[in-house]
Amino acid sequence: MQKELAAVGLVLCLLIFAWVSGVFGGDDGDAVGDPFPEFSAVADDGNTYSLDDYKGAPFIVLFSAEWCNTPCHATMHALNSTLDAPILVMSTDPAENPQGISLENWHERADEYDDEGNDTGQTLDLPFMKGVEAADKAGISSSPSIVFVNSDGRIVTIHKGGLHDADEIRTYWEAAGGTV
């Protein structure tokens, strides 16, 4: 009887631990269905961007960090070459100029990414800005993470990690109400 009670107690402890740690899908930071967080940020182009600028139309936010190179830069170029859509690039790094990289330097480095090897001649005409608070509120913790937002301002998809497949990009964009 004691062994059975001990086993039941152990199972209960494991279930409670699993629930608290989010193993059963608790609050894991997944904000799909939630409104995209309010933001207002000055981008590298000197303009101030806010959520109000995008009300009534779908848009994409690529969360990255100034120091994230290949996976982030490749994703920026894949989004830019696949869609004609409003795309914002937001840094998740709270430091002002992490590793000495300003927003302008970050944009230049990302822009030059495709110039090595198979130059597509692509220019990233996207605003680069800080987005630490928006990332925190949306539960974003990895770079890159791509958030597709619908015209109601709700998050439809959060893709974590590099995104290079044009068909997958178009599918996410269409799910957000965008047209290709």
Side-chain angles (χ1 to χ4, degrees):
M1 179 73 168
Q2 279 187 327
K3 286 183 183 180
E4 290 150 346
L5 283 176
V8 168
L10 178 62
V11 168
L12 284 175
C13 286
L14 290 173
L15 287 172
I16 290 169
F17 175 75
W19 177 71
V20 168
S21 65
V23 170
F24 292 129
D27 183 14
D28 61 356
D30 190 2
V32 170
D34 292 349
F36 190 83
E38 293 285 337
F39 69 92
S40 180
V42 177
D44 64 317
D45 61 8
N47 293 319
T48 300
Y49 295 84
S50 72
L51 185 59
D52 288 339
D53 297 328
Y54 298 92
K55 291 211 186 232
F59 63 97
I60 300 167
V61 179
L62 187 145
F63 286 102
S64 179
E66 290 90 327
W67 43 263
C68 181
N69 292 320
T70 300
C72 296
H73 294 167
T75 297
M76 291 173 196
H77 282 274
L79 288 168
N80 191 55
S81 65
T82 303
L83 301 172
D84 181 20
I87 302 170
L88 304 170
V89 182
M90 291 188 169
S91 173
T92 58
D93 194 316
E96 185 60 35
N97 291 314
Q99 300 177 14
I101 305 168
S102 69
L103 291 175
E104 294 82 7
N105 298 139
W106 180 30
H107 194 157
E108 289 169 11
R109 288 177 47 210
D111 215 13
E112 294 169 353
Y113 171 77
D114 76 330
D115 296 345
E116 300 164 11
N118 60 346
D119 184 4
T120 63
Q122 188 181 100
T123 300
L124 295 175
D125 189 23
L126 312 171
F128 284 60
M129 66 195 75
K130 288 293 188 177
V132 176
E133 288 181 25
D136 287 343
K137 289 177 183 173
I140 303 298
S141 60
S142 60
S143 289
S145 288
I146 305 89
V147 179
F148 292 81
V149 182
N150 69 17
S151 60
D152 295 329
R154 296 208 169 269
I155 297 170
V156 175
T157 304
I158 299 175
H159 179 92
K160 295 179 181 177
L163 179 59
H164 312 108
D165 182 83
D167 290 332
E168 190 173 11
I169 291 169
R170 283 190 283 274
T171 298
Y172 288 150
W173 180 236
E174 289 172 341
T179 55
V180 225

